[in-house]
Structure formats: C-alpha cells, structure tokens
Amino acid sequence: MSQSGEMSEFGYIMELLAKGKVTIKNIERELICPACKELFTHPLILPCQHSICHKCVKELLLTLDDSFNDVGSDNSNQSSPRLRLPSPSMDKIDRINRPGWKRNSLTPRTTIFPCPGCEHDVDLGERGINGLFRNFTLETIVERYRQAARAATAIMCDLCKPPPQESTKSCMDCSASYCNECFKIHHPWGTIKAQHEYVGPTTNFRPKILMCPEHETERINMYCELCRRPVCHLCKLGGNHANHRVTTMSSAYKTLKEKLSKDIDYLIGKESQVKSQISELNLLMKETECNGERAKEEAITHFEKLFEILEERKSSVLKAIDSSKKLRLDKFQTQMEEYQGLLENNGLVGYAQEVLKETDQSCFVQTAKQLHLRIQKATESLKSFRPAAQTSFEDYVVNTSKQTELLGELSFFSSGIDVPEINEEQSKVYNNALVNWHHPEKDKADSYVLEYRKINREDEMSWNEIEVCGTSKIIPDLENSSTYAFRVRAYKGSICSPCSRELILHTPPAPVFSFLFDEKCGYNNEHLLLNLKRDRVESRAGFNLLLAAERIQVGYYTSLDYIIGDTGITKGKHFWAFRVEPYSYLVKVGVASSDKLQEWLRSPRDAVSPRYEQDSGHDSGSEDACFDSSQPFTLVTIGMKKFFIPKSPTSSNEPENRVLPMPTSIGIFLDYDKGKVSFYDMDHMKCLYERQVDCSHTLYPAFALMGSGGIQLEEPITAKYLEYQEDM
C-alpha cells in the first residue's frame, strides 16, 4: 500500500484502514475543511484540536478585523468617506502573520474567532497564526487521497530536461521528485545525499523535525497534557507551560497510538453492528417520512374545518350587512321621493296646485283638509331635515382581535415545552439587531428557532428562520429605516413549542457611523476624562471649576469643554447613538463643521455666552433674533434628565413645549447631501427634532460638557458584544 520509507506515525492508521476494508476514498468526509468545504490545504491545529486551512484562518481573522473596525458602517453605504478595499491587502496579511497582532490597535485584545468546526471561540494568543502547529499527518493523508483520486495522473521528475520523465521517488530532504536516472545522479553512493530519506512519488513534503512555534530554534520534545499540544523544553522551563504537567514525546506517542489503535480495532470489530444500525436508520427514515405525510394530512383536515367555519361565518356576516344596506337604501329612496314631490309641478305640490283650481267650495273643503295636513307635515320636515337612516356601518365591523390572537398561538397540543419569552429590555437594534429571550425550562430545550420578517404595509413578508443553540442571537444585514418583527420557538427533539409574542424593533434611518472620541483636537484633559477605549468621556467638576465660579460677580461664564469625533463626514447618510448619564448637569450634542470648531476652540470663553449660541437652550431671546435657516453647526442641550428642543420661528415659545424627558439613548442622523440633521429617541426610533445644517465643510460629531456629566458612545453589536451580554 505504501513505500517502505513512508511508515511513520500515520502508517499504522493506514494499515488498520486497509485491514478494515476501508478505502482511502471513503474517508473524504474527514478530509474536508469546515470553513471552505474543500480538501485541506496546509491545515493548522486550533487550540480546540480541530483543523482548518491556513488560508481559511487568515480570511476569518481579516473578516473579523474588518467587522470590528468598521462595524458595518460602510458595508451598505457606498457613499461613505472611508476607503474600502475590494480584497484583503498584503499589509493586513503580513500584520496578521506577525507575532502580537491585534485586531484593533486602539483596544488591544487577543485574536479570538469562532472555530468553524465546533463554533466555540478559540484564542490564538499573542503569536496569532504563528503559534499554531501544522497538521502534517492530516496533510499527508489528504495527499494520499488526492493521489488515489488521480491515480492516472503521474508525478513528473523535477530535474529532467524536457520532456520530463515520470518520477519514481521523492526526496524528503531535497523536497523534490526524481526519476531513477536523476536520483542516481543527484544522490550518488558514498555521499551525504545518499543518506537522505526518500519515499514514493509525492507532492507533499514535510519537515523531518517539528520546531516549536514559540521558540523557533528549539525542536519539539515534550507533550503538554493540560493544553494537549507538543512543546519544547523552553516552554516548560519559563514559558506558558511552566506549571503544566508534561510528558516525553515518546511516551505521549506510545499512549496516544495505543488508544487510537484500540478505538480503531473496536470500530472495525463492530462493523456488522454498524451495518445493522444503518439499516435500522433507513427504516426509521422511511417511517418518519410516512408519519410526516400523515401528520400533514391531518393538519390540512383541521385547517379545512376552520376554513369551513370561517366561510360560514363570512356568509352570515355579509348577508346581515346586505340586509341592513337594502333596508336603509329603501328608506332613503322613500324619503327622496317625498322630497321630490315638494318640487313645483311635481308630486304633492303639483297635486295641491290642481286642487286650488277647484271652484266648488264644498268639494274644495272636502279635499283640502287632508291635503293641508300633508303640506304642513312636509313644511315641518323642511325646517328640520333628518335622514331616514344612518350611513355608517360601525355596528357591523367584525371584531377578530381575540380570534386573531388565538389563531396566532395555534400549535400542537400537549407539546410539553414552555413558550420562550423575549426580553425586551435586553433586545435592541443598532448596526445589527440583538434579540435576547428567556426560557422558563431552559434545560428542556435542545435548540431554538428565531424567526424575523420586515413589516410591510403593502405586502405580507415571509418569515426568515435561524436555528440558535443559545438564548440570544445577532441578526445582521437588516434594511435601514424599517420595522421588523421577531419571535422565538423552542425545540426538544422533534417537538416544537408555540411561538413567543412578537417583538417589534425599528432600524436606524441610515448605516451606523463608527468613530471614537478625538483625544487631540480640542481635548481638555484638565476638565475631561477619556477612557482607554475612547468611547466614554466624563466631565470632572473639580477645584478648577470652583475657582472659575468664584469670579461670577464680574460676568464670567463657566466654559463648555468640547470634544469631537475622530472621523469627519463629507458625504452620504450616517447615524450614530450615545447615552448621556442621568446625573449630567449640561451636555450639548450634535454636529459642527471644521471651520466652526476652529473658531470655538480658539476662543472658548466667548463662544459659551448664553447669548452667543443659537441652540444653547437659554431662554434669552437671542435665538429668535439671530436664527439662521442653515448654519455650520447644530447642537441641542441635554441636562438634568431633560431634552431641550431649540427655539425656532415656527415653534411655540412656551417652555413646556420645548422640554422633553431625556431618552435612555439618543441617536443623530446626518444626511450630508441634503444638509439635514435629526435627533432621535433610540428606544422608539422616533425623531424628536430636525433642522437644516450647512454642509459646505467637513462635519464632525460634536459634544460639549459643563459641570458633572458623562457621555457613552453606543457599542456596536458584534459577536464580542453578544459574548459580553452572556457573561453578564
């Protein structure tokens, strides 16, 4: 089955496979990478002991790097000012290969990504890909599979002059294939090359000695039982495995080989049992198919009965409406004919005119008495016109709310699984949607199915389904400025629970704009405290502020401390959100142009006078006198748990109409192309205030604080966010 030189640590496994009458082509399922779904190419062993292609690890890390830095802000917005590359750059690939690579230089963290095989997060540590072992055993088996699959394709000699001859040997030391003649020439007897290790023709050349990825000059000679990976003596002396239990490589080789051999012998010895179980599974599949069809027929029967009841009720309701309509129309028709008779030469009036022509007094009196009563009655009806019937059919509106709710909960009876409950407080939408739910009997459910759909008034959209193992899920790629409905149901085996109540979430009006606070431009570190991640800023009302307030007798105004975003906007639609701490005294938020920011930062004392700023919220009347329909900035005032809507000529001057409760989270929507900025209540995605803004220059997210206060930028919803929520 193989050349004599090829019997290494994987040779015994191949022998057992041959004895068990299992051909190399039958193990293709074990040779497929879980990421790319193709045969492994240079597989690496992850800390969870699953293998994955070298290129697939790079692509996963690059994808996570892009999603973490950009958070989807520019993925759906082609007009974003940030440069997007069509494919990963060589700079990024080199950066990932280098030891100590981090996904974000601003917030150092280890290279963590979900394993495609087990879906658990694996941490590559400081060295990243360089800290992973190459799975040479798996690589060699893949190469054997390829050779078996292309048996007719020969491996040609690498040293022959054209045309090359078919190779007969491959040298593992030279990493080349030779025909008989070339091998004799390049490996003459009596030389060092004659002692090289050679095998049958192959294109897979592996090193003779495995070197430690942590200490590249040291060979592997021990095995860490805790981490289940080979290590060198330096790793044990002072490295990451100093306090771990290790054993010699020969002992680990012998132990693992014995265990693997016993397991393989056991499986091969149970071949007849496996075949009988496969036959049993085939019967179960057929039985399941028959039972499924029978269950469908029964369900159709039940629904047809419901349809019959609905059709019967529909016919009865429509008949009642038609009867009422006919009765009312008859009354209107009679009343209309009576009024037409009041017209000259028509009906009652015409008849009375003819009676007046009667000259015989007795005959006239005999007829006129009754006629006069009719004329009086018609005259009274003219004075107080009243329709003979109502036109409204409010009493005939069918109330189906209760029945609709019951039909919405229609499910299989006695399922034995409680209905999951969606946690509205922990569910939110930002760049993605996060749906979190609670199951009263969590251990009884194997999995959940999250369903969601876009709510469209015109068309009834179908539900999208996602299978989830946990109790929370992130849904990406939702349309902006849309409303979505979410619901969850639990599964235990083949039994399904009813769906939970629907959760309605509104997506932002534009893609989420990703930025951090700028620690350089105008940042006052004496008054403001910025965290390391640069997504939270606090205003410290300390001793310096008290000294400034001491001079208030001479007209000194305590200054606002400005801080802006580190990324400007030059085109497109963008949305960002943040939270203002409830204890904040005065905070101003919005957008400002680059030239206006320079003006503010040059003379901050003048710029903070209550009569200087148009949107200060100070009820001084200056806003009405100086209001401009399009200015290079727009700021709203937030403080003392209130949201103050700035004055404008079209708004009421009553203060209570301009003061709203402060939302838990506030969003800002900037449409640069239309020159419009809007402020949103994120909890309900409701616009609180909007106005025009001059977009002739670069605009920046702008913030200002006075007194004690704090601003926290909303964290984008990513896989790490979900992991943090579960830990909480």
mmCIF file with all atom_site columns, all heavy atoms in Angstrom, residues 9 93 136 202 205 300 313 332 339 355 462 478 509 666:
data_model
loop_
_atom_site.group_PDB
_atom_site.id
_atom_site.type_symbol
_atom_site.label_atom_id
_atom_site.label_alt_id
_atom_site.label_comp_id
_atom_site.label_asym_id
_atom_site.label_entity_id
_atom_site.label_seq_id
_atom_site.pdbx_PDB_ins_code
_atom_site.Cartn_x
_atom_site.Cartn_y
_atom_site.Cartn_z
_atom_site.occupancy
_atom_site.B_iso_or_equiv
_atom_site.pdbx_formal_charge
_atom_site.auth_seq_id
_atom_site.auth_comp_id
_atom_site.auth_asym_id
_atom_site.auth_atom_id
_atom_site.pdbx_PDB_model_num
ATOM 1   N N   . GLU A 1 9   ? 4.326    7.857  11.844 1.00 0.00 ? 9   GLU A N   1
ATOM 2   C CA  . GLU A 1 9   ? 3.296    7.778  12.872 1.00 0.00 ? 9   GLU A CA  1
ATOM 3   C C   . GLU A 1 9   ? 1.897    7.577  12.305 1.00 0.00 ? 9   GLU A C   1
ATOM 4   O O   . GLU A 1 9   ? 0.998    7.131  12.999 1.00 0.00 ? 9   GLU A O   1
ATOM 5   C CB  . GLU A 1 9   ? 3.304    9.041  13.728 1.00 0.00 ? 9   GLU A CB  1
ATOM 6   C CG  . GLU A 1 9   ? 3.158    10.302 12.944 1.00 0.00 ? 9   GLU A CG  1
ATOM 7   C CD  . GLU A 1 9   ? 3.256    11.511 13.862 1.00 0.00 ? 9   GLU A CD  1
ATOM 8   O OE1 . GLU A 1 9   ? 2.340    11.685 14.670 1.00 0.00 ? 9   GLU A OE1 1
ATOM 9   O OE2 . GLU A 1 9   ? 4.240    12.242 13.755 1.00 0.00 ? 9   GLU A OE2 1
ATOM 10  N N   . ILE A 1 93  ? -2.415   41.017 5.692  1.00 0.00 ? 93  ILE A N   1
ATOM 11  C CA  . ILE A 1 93  ? -1.975   39.636 5.827  1.00 0.00 ? 93  ILE A CA  1
ATOM 12  C C   . ILE A 1 93  ? -0.657   39.572 6.575  1.00 0.00 ? 93  ILE A C   1
ATOM 13  O O   . ILE A 1 93  ? -0.460   38.742 7.463  1.00 0.00 ? 93  ILE A O   1
ATOM 14  C CB  . ILE A 1 93  ? -1.865   38.973 4.437  1.00 0.00 ? 93  ILE A CB  1
ATOM 15  C CG1 . ILE A 1 93  ? -3.261   38.863 3.816  1.00 0.00 ? 93  ILE A CG1 1
ATOM 16  C CG2 . ILE A 1 93  ? -1.217   37.609 4.547  1.00 0.00 ? 93  ILE A CG2 1
ATOM 17  C CD1 . ILE A 1 93  ? -3.270   38.284 2.439  1.00 0.00 ? 93  ILE A CD1 1
ATOM 18  N N   . PHE A 1 136 ? 0.755    17.909 9.934  1.00 0.00 ? 136 PHE A N   1
ATOM 19  C CA  . PHE A 1 136 ? 1.416    17.204 8.834  1.00 0.00 ? 136 PHE A CA  1
ATOM 20  C C   . PHE A 1 136 ? 0.800    15.833 8.590  1.00 0.00 ? 136 PHE A C   1
ATOM 21  O O   . PHE A 1 136 ? 0.770    15.353 7.453  1.00 0.00 ? 136 PHE A O   1
ATOM 22  C CB  . PHE A 1 136 ? 2.914    17.060 9.131  1.00 0.00 ? 136 PHE A CB  1
ATOM 23  C CG  . PHE A 1 136 ? 3.670    18.356 9.036  1.00 0.00 ? 136 PHE A CG  1
ATOM 24  C CD1 . PHE A 1 136 ? 4.094    19.002 10.175 1.00 0.00 ? 136 PHE A CD1 1
ATOM 25  C CD2 . PHE A 1 136 ? 3.928    18.936 7.804  1.00 0.00 ? 136 PHE A CD2 1
ATOM 26  C CE1 . PHE A 1 136 ? 4.785    20.198 10.092 1.00 0.00 ? 136 PHE A CE1 1
ATOM 27  C CE2 . PHE A 1 136 ? 4.608    20.136 7.713  1.00 0.00 ? 136 PHE A CE2 1
ATOM 28  C CZ  . PHE A 1 136 ? 5.036    20.772 8.860  1.00 0.00 ? 136 PHE A CZ  1
ATOM 29  N N   . THR A 1 202 ? 5.492    11.944 -4.510 1.00 0.00 ? 202 THR A N   1
ATOM 30  C CA  . THR A 1 202 ? 4.532    12.754 -3.765 1.00 0.00 ? 202 THR A CA  1
ATOM 31  C C   . THR A 1 202 ? 4.800    14.232 -4.024 1.00 0.00 ? 202 THR A C   1
ATOM 32  O O   . THR A 1 202 ? 5.904    14.604 -4.474 1.00 0.00 ? 202 THR A O   1
ATOM 33  C CB  . THR A 1 202 ? 4.626    12.467 -2.252 1.00 0.00 ? 202 THR A CB  1
ATOM 34  O OG1 . THR A 1 202 ? 3.646    13.249 -1.575 1.00 0.00 ? 202 THR A OG1 1
ATOM 35  C CG2 . THR A 1 202 ? 6.001    12.827 -1.713 1.00 0.00 ? 202 THR A CG2 1
ATOM 36  N N   . PHE A 1 205 ? 5.686    17.555 0.907  1.00 0.00 ? 205 PHE A N   1
ATOM 37  C CA  . PHE A 1 205 ? 6.960    17.437 1.600  1.00 0.00 ? 205 PHE A CA  1
ATOM 38  C C   . PHE A 1 205 ? 6.838    18.044 2.989  1.00 0.00 ? 205 PHE A C   1
ATOM 39  O O   . PHE A 1 205 ? 6.440    19.199 3.131  1.00 0.00 ? 205 PHE A O   1
ATOM 40  C CB  . PHE A 1 205 ? 8.067    18.143 0.816  1.00 0.00 ? 205 PHE A CB  1
ATOM 41  C CG  . PHE A 1 205 ? 8.274    17.578 -0.563 1.00 0.00 ? 205 PHE A CG  1
ATOM 42  C CD1 . PHE A 1 205 ? 7.705    18.184 -1.666 1.00 0.00 ? 205 PHE A CD1 1
ATOM 43  C CD2 . PHE A 1 205 ? 9.005    16.417 -0.749 1.00 0.00 ? 205 PHE A CD2 1
ATOM 44  C CE1 . PHE A 1 205 ? 7.879    17.670 -2.934 1.00 0.00 ? 205 PHE A CE1 1
ATOM 45  C CE2 . PHE A 1 205 ? 9.183    15.891 -2.017 1.00 0.00 ? 205 PHE A CE2 1
ATOM 46  C CZ  . PHE A 1 205 ? 8.616    16.510 -3.119 1.00 0.00 ? 205 PHE A CZ  1
ATOM 47  N N   . ILE A 1 300 ? -54.022  19.423 7.487  1.00 0.00 ? 300 ILE A N   1
ATOM 48  C CA  . ILE A 1 300 ? -54.820  20.014 6.409  1.00 0.00 ? 300 ILE A CA  1
ATOM 49  C C   . ILE A 1 300 ? -56.310  19.835 6.688  1.00 0.00 ? 300 ILE A C   1
ATOM 50  O O   . ILE A 1 300 ? -57.123  20.746 6.459  1.00 0.00 ? 300 ILE A O   1
ATOM 51  C CB  . ILE A 1 300 ? -54.430  19.373 5.058  1.00 0.00 ? 300 ILE A CB  1
ATOM 52  C CG1 . ILE A 1 300 ? -53.008  19.806 4.663  1.00 0.00 ? 300 ILE A CG1 1
ATOM 53  C CG2 . ILE A 1 300 ? -55.418  19.750 3.966  1.00 0.00 ? 300 ILE A CG2 1
ATOM 54  C CD1 . ILE A 1 300 ? -52.477  19.095 3.435  1.00 0.00 ? 300 ILE A CD1 1
ATOM 55  N N   . ARG A 1 313 ? -69.325  31.730 8.665  1.00 0.00 ? 313 ARG A N   1
ATOM 56  C CA  . ARG A 1 313 ? -69.474  32.994 9.372  1.00 0.00 ? 313 ARG A CA  1
ATOM 57  C C   . ARG A 1 313 ? -69.378  34.169 8.410  1.00 0.00 ? 313 ARG A C   1
ATOM 58  O O   . ARG A 1 313 ? -70.080  35.173 8.539  1.00 0.00 ? 313 ARG A O   1
ATOM 59  C CB  . ARG A 1 313 ? -68.395  33.113 10.453 1.00 0.00 ? 313 ARG A CB  1
ATOM 60  C CG  . ARG A 1 313 ? -68.505  32.099 11.565 1.00 0.00 ? 313 ARG A CG  1
ATOM 61  C CD  . ARG A 1 313 ? -69.855  32.199 12.268 1.00 0.00 ? 313 ARG A CD  1
ATOM 62  N NE  . ARG A 1 313 ? -70.083  33.528 12.803 1.00 0.00 ? 313 ARG A NE  1
ATOM 63  C CZ  . ARG A 1 313 ? -71.254  34.065 13.069 1.00 0.00 ? 313 ARG A CZ  1
ATOM 64  N NH1 . ARG A 1 313 ? -72.361  33.368 12.806 1.00 0.00 ? 313 ARG A NH1 1
ATOM 65  N NH2 . ARG A 1 313 ? -71.364  35.273 13.577 1.00 0.00 ? 313 ARG A NH2 1
ATOM 66  N N   . PHE A 1 332 ? -84.102  55.621 2.349  1.00 0.00 ? 332 PHE A N   1
ATOM 67  C CA  . PHE A 1 332 ? -83.607  56.816 1.658  1.00 0.00 ? 332 PHE A CA  1
ATOM 68  C C   . PHE A 1 332 ? -84.378  57.071 0.366  1.00 0.00 ? 332 PHE A C   1
ATOM 69  O O   . PHE A 1 332 ? -84.666  58.215 0.004  1.00 0.00 ? 332 PHE A O   1
ATOM 70  C CB  . PHE A 1 332 ? -82.105  56.673 1.349  1.00 0.00 ? 332 PHE A CB  1
ATOM 71  C CG  . PHE A 1 332 ? -81.212  56.953 2.528  1.00 0.00 ? 332 PHE A CG  1
ATOM 72  C CD1 . PHE A 1 332 ? -80.264  56.036 2.938  1.00 0.00 ? 332 PHE A CD1 1
ATOM 73  C CD2 . PHE A 1 332 ? -81.318  58.151 3.231  1.00 0.00 ? 332 PHE A CD2 1
ATOM 74  C CE1 . PHE A 1 332 ? -79.448  56.293 4.015  1.00 0.00 ? 332 PHE A CE1 1
ATOM 75  C CE2 . PHE A 1 332 ? -80.499  58.413 4.312  1.00 0.00 ? 332 PHE A CE2 1
ATOM 76  C CZ  . PHE A 1 332 ? -79.561  57.477 4.707  1.00 0.00 ? 332 PHE A CZ  1
ATOM 77  N N   . TYR A 1 339 ? -89.485  64.144 -0.994 1.00 0.00 ? 339 TYR A N   1
ATOM 78  C CA  . TYR A 1 339 ? -88.934  65.483 -1.222 1.00 0.00 ? 339 TYR A CA  1
ATOM 79  C C   . TYR A 1 339 ? -89.054  65.896 -2.680 1.00 0.00 ? 339 TYR A C   1
ATOM 80  O O   . TYR A 1 339 ? -89.207  67.079 -2.984 1.00 0.00 ? 339 TYR A O   1
ATOM 81  C CB  . TYR A 1 339 ? -87.472  65.521 -0.769 1.00 0.00 ? 339 TYR A CB  1
ATOM 82  C CG  . TYR A 1 339 ? -87.320  65.819 0.712  1.00 0.00 ? 339 TYR A CG  1
ATOM 83  C CD1 . TYR A 1 339 ? -87.461  64.801 1.649  1.00 0.00 ? 339 TYR A CD1 1
ATOM 84  C CD2 . TYR A 1 339 ? -87.090  67.112 1.163  1.00 0.00 ? 339 TYR A CD2 1
ATOM 85  C CE1 . TYR A 1 339 ? -87.349  65.056 2.994  1.00 0.00 ? 339 TYR A CE1 1
ATOM 86  C CE2 . TYR A 1 339 ? -86.975  67.379 2.506  1.00 0.00 ? 339 TYR A CE2 1
ATOM 87  C CZ  . TYR A 1 339 ? -87.095  66.361 3.429  1.00 0.00 ? 339 TYR A CZ  1
ATOM 88  O OH  . TYR A 1 339 ? -86.989  66.627 4.766  1.00 0.00 ? 339 TYR A OH  1
ATOM 89  N N   . VAL A 1 355 ? -105.638 71.219 -6.999 1.00 0.00 ? 355 VAL A N   1
ATOM 90  C CA  . VAL A 1 355 ? -106.786 71.365 -6.073 1.00 0.00 ? 355 VAL A CA  1
ATOM 91  C C   . VAL A 1 355 ? -107.189 72.820 -5.947 1.00 0.00 ? 355 VAL A C   1
ATOM 92  O O   . VAL A 1 355 ? -108.386 73.155 -5.812 1.00 0.00 ? 355 VAL A O   1
ATOM 93  C CB  . VAL A 1 355 ? -106.425 70.760 -4.706 1.00 0.00 ? 355 VAL A CB  1
ATOM 94  C CG1 . VAL A 1 355 ? -107.495 71.097 -3.667 1.00 0.00 ? 355 VAL A CG1 1
ATOM 95  C CG2 . VAL A 1 355 ? -106.262 69.250 -4.804 1.00 0.00 ? 355 VAL A CG2 1
ATOM 96  N N   . SER A 1 462 ? -42.596  37.057 4.152  1.00 0.00 ? 462 SER A N   1
ATOM 97  C CA  . SER A 1 462 ? -42.453  35.731 4.751  1.00 0.00 ? 462 SER A CA  1
ATOM 98  C C   . SER A 1 462 ? -41.424  35.783 5.879  1.00 0.00 ? 462 SER A C   1
ATOM 99  O O   . SER A 1 462 ? -40.552  36.647 5.920  1.00 0.00 ? 462 SER A O   1
ATOM 100 C CB  . SER A 1 462 ? -42.016  34.716 3.685  1.00 0.00 ? 462 SER A CB  1
ATOM 101 O OG  . SER A 1 462 ? -40.783  35.112 3.100  1.00 0.00 ? 462 SER A OG  1
ATOM 102 N N   . LEU A 1 478 ? -29.859  44.018 8.210  1.00 0.00 ? 478 LEU A N   1
ATOM 103 C CA  . LEU A 1 478 ? -31.244  44.484 8.158  1.00 0.00 ? 478 LEU A CA  1
ATOM 104 C C   . LEU A 1 478 ? -31.313  45.803 7.403  1.00 0.00 ? 478 LEU A C   1
ATOM 105 O O   . LEU A 1 478 ? -30.363  46.592 7.414  1.00 0.00 ? 478 LEU A O   1
ATOM 106 C CB  . LEU A 1 478 ? -31.800  44.667 9.573  1.00 0.00 ? 478 LEU A CB  1
ATOM 107 C CG  . LEU A 1 478 ? -31.844  43.416 10.457 1.00 0.00 ? 478 LEU A CG  1
ATOM 108 C CD1 . LEU A 1 478 ? -32.422  43.753 11.822 1.00 0.00 ? 478 LEU A CD1 1
ATOM 109 C CD2 . LEU A 1 478 ? -32.647  42.307 9.795  1.00 0.00 ? 478 LEU A CD2 1
ATOM 110 N N   . PRO A 1 509 ? -32.296  55.084 10.612 1.00 0.00 ? 509 PRO A N   1
ATOM 111 C CA  . PRO A 1 509 ? -32.598  55.594 9.267  1.00 0.00 ? 509 PRO A CA  1
ATOM 112 C C   . PRO A 1 509 ? -31.417  55.563 8.310  1.00 0.00 ? 509 PRO A C   1
ATOM 113 O O   . PRO A 1 509 ? -31.584  55.862 7.130  1.00 0.00 ? 509 PRO A O   1
ATOM 114 C CB  . PRO A 1 509 ? -33.037  57.046 9.541  1.00 0.00 ? 509 PRO A CB  1
ATOM 115 C CG  . PRO A 1 509 ? -32.360  57.410 10.808 1.00 0.00 ? 509 PRO A CG  1
ATOM 116 C CD  . PRO A 1 509 ? -32.288  56.153 11.625 1.00 0.00 ? 509 PRO A CD  1
ATOM 117 N N   . ILE A 1 666 ? -29.740  58.319 22.766 1.00 0.00 ? 666 ILE A N   1
ATOM 118 C CA  . ILE A 1 666 ? -30.051  59.365 21.779 1.00 0.00 ? 666 ILE A CA  1
ATOM 119 C C   . ILE A 1 666 ? -29.298  59.057 20.487 1.00 0.00 ? 666 ILE A C   1
ATOM 120 O O   . ILE A 1 666 ? -28.119  58.685 20.510 1.00 0.00 ? 666 ILE A O   1
ATOM 121 C CB  . ILE A 1 666 ? -29.649  60.750 22.308 1.00 0.00 ? 666 ILE A CB  1
ATOM 122 C CG1 . ILE A 1 666 ? -30.401  61.044 23.606 1.00 0.00 ? 666 ILE A CG1 1
ATOM 123 C CG2 . ILE A 1 666 ? -29.926  61.838 21.273 1.00 0.00 ? 666 ILE A CG2 1
ATOM 124 C CD1 . ILE A 1 666 ? -29.893  62.244 24.350 1.00 0.00 ? 666 ILE A CD1 1
#
